[in-house]
Amino acid sequence: GVALNANGDPDRFESYGLPVLPDSIAGFPGPLAGVLAGLDWAAKQGADSIVTVAADTPFFPCDLVPRLLLAAEDAPHPLALACTPRSGDEALKSGGGKRINRHPTFGLWPVALADDLRAALEDGLRKVVLWTNRHGAGEALFPAEPFDPFFNVNTPEDLARARELAS
């Protein structure tokens, strides 16, 4: 099944014919609240896990789901985030730690951790990576060349670049 996480008037998405899931935690606490809404919906559908993608990212990889599943094989729960290599300059600025960029809106999430996520959000946690690190999330590494497949469209310039890449 496919559903949209969105707050506000759900009728604006009526033409898609999909369920629209608002955040269940008040105050727009960020992407984890959307994940929680998806986990709660999936639990009612009898699913074990969900995969999330950002709606403003037109070029995400076609093999996202199988690669997330592979990355989660050794994790304690079926939990994994998509990642791309970090450029040399970015890696140096970060102190030489992990040389990856995590894309936390692209992930595999286990329904079994919904209550833990709800408690974390109610306690004020907002950082996706902090929560996923607590649970030993896997990382699915995707190439960032010839362009980052997780490039998202937020500005008119981004839209122009997306049109160029699509052609």
Side-chain angles (χ1 to χ4, degrees), residues 5 22-26 29-43 48-52 77-81 104-105 107-135 137:
N5 167 242
D23 293 351
S24 59
I25 305 288
L32 284 173
V35 171
L36 179 60
L39 292 174
D40 288 341
W41 176 78
D48 294 329
S49 60
I50 64 170
V51 171
T52 57
H77 298 281
L79 177 61
L81 297 177
T105 54
L108 171 69
W109 310 87
V111 169
L113 290 179
D115 289 337
D116 183 89
L117 178 54
R118 187 179 337 280
L121 284 165
E122 289 171 352
D123 285 345
L125 182 74
R126 300 296 180 258
K127 298 277 186 184
V128 174
V129 173
L130 291 178
W131 188 80
T132 58
N133 282 351
R134 284 185 194 173
H135 298 288

Side-chain angles (χ1 to χ4, degrees), residues 151-165:
F151 159 74
N152 59 342
V153 178
N154 292 314
T155 66
E157 294 80 19
D158 292 342
L159 182 57
R161 180 162 185 247
R163 286 182 173 141
E164 179 184 312
L165 290 169

Side-chain angles (χ1 to χ4, degrees), residues 95-115:
K98 287 194 173 198
R99 293 181 175 252
I100 59 168
N101 286 323
R102 293 185 206 168
H103 302 282
T105 54
F106 290 84
L108 171 69
W109 310 87
V111 169
L113 290 179
D115 289 337

